[in-house]
């Protein structure tokens, strides 16, 4: 229960920070996403099944601030979290390089996915936005992954097997 409350609290805090504080650190209108980098980092550390639920839950919160469309971020985050979870199964989680590169790749993938979905339904979006936000997420993912890894190694965050 403590794990669920921790994840829900962190998700809500990061949604608030993404929409209120992070825009002040934007460079030429491009800003990173704390929440998305956390979702990817969490999925890499804990696997695709837990990442799927966190991605969908956090994506719904992001969709609240997304104009005219509900479910685009939830779907994109969920798909990216599942792919990241599969990546996390075959790497050394203590190392930071592969998770950071995966975060960059997943940011680009999410941006392309959202771009395509919005194009299909007739909502315009600049494709330049995708690359520069992904680049910004790359640098942000270094400290976010390290903090997420430390958080996931706490006793109350680990999955306990019961026989």
């Amino acid at each position: 229960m403590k794990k669920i409350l921790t994840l829900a609290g962190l998700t809500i805090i990061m949604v608030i920070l993404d929409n209120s504080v992070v825009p002040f650190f934007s460079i030429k209108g491009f800003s990173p996403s704390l929440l998305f980098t956390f979702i990817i980092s969490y999925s890499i550390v804990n696997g695709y099944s837990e990442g799927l639920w966190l991605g969908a839950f956090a994506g719904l919160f992001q969709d609240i601030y997304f104009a005219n469309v509900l479910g685009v971020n939830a779907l994109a985050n969920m798909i990216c979290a599942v792919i990241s979870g599969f990546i996390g199964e075959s790497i050394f989680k203590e190392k930071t390089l592969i998770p950071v590169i995966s975060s960059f790749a997943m940011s680009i993938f999410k941006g392309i996915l959202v771009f395509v979905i919005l194009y299909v339904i007739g909502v315009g979006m600049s494709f330049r936005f995708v690359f520069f936000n992904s680049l910004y997420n790359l640098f942000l993912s270094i400290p976010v992954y390290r903090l997420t890894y430390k958080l996931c190694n706490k006793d109350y965050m680990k999955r306990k097997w019961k026989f």
Side-chain angles (χ1 to χ4, degrees):
M1 185 65 173
K2 190 173 181 182
K3 177 179 181 177
I4 294 170
L5 291 174
T6 302
L7 289 174
L10 283 173
T11 300
I12 292 168
I13 289 169
M14 285 187 203
V15 166
I16 292 168
L17 288 174
D18 270 351
N19 292 302
S20 62
V21 176
V22 172
F24 289 113
F25 297 103
S26 67
I27 298 174
K28 295 189 178 188
F30 304 109
S31 59
S33 174
L34 282 170
L35 184 59
F36 184 73
T37 54
F38 174 70
I39 293 166
I40 298 303
S41 298
Y42 184 81
S43 298
I44 289 172
V45 173
N46 289 315
Y48 67 91
S49 61
E50 290 190 35
L52 179 132
W53 296 108
L54 181 63
F57 177 70
L60 287 174
F61 275 116
Q62 284 180 325
D63 283 332
I64 292 171
Y65 292 99
F66 204 54
N68 300 329
V69 185
L70 184 65
V72 173
N73 281 312
L75 176 66
N77 285 354
M78 189 172 62
I79 291 170
C80 290
V82 169
I83 294 170
S84 298
F86 282 118
I87 291 170
E89 289 180 352
S90 60
I91 64 169
F92 291 111
K93 294 175 178 72
E94 299 83 21
K95 305 293 182 187
T96 312
L97 181 64
I98 300 299
V100 168
I101 293 171
S102 298
S103 177
F104 177 67
M106 287 298 109
S107 294
I108 289 176
F109 179 72
K110 179 188 176 184
I112 292 171
L113 185 61
V114 169
F115 180 81
V116 168
I117 292 171
L118 292 179
Y119 180 77
V120 167
I121 61 175
V123 178
M125 178 180 144
S126 173
F127 194 72
R128 239 177 48 148
F129 182 78
V130 172
F131 179 72
F132 287 111
N133 280 357
S134 299
L135 194 61
Y136 213 156
N137 281 345
L138 172 73
F139 294 111
L140 180 68
S141 64
I142 296 168
V144 170
Y145 180 76
R146 289 180 180 164
L147 292 171
T148 303
Y149 182 74
K150 286 180 184 177
L151 173 73
C152 292
N153 283 324
K154 299 214 181 268
D155 286 335
Y156 65 90
M157 292 296 285
K158 290 183 180 179
R159 185 184 310 168
K160 293 182 176 56
W161 293 95
K162 296 179 183 176
F163 291 102

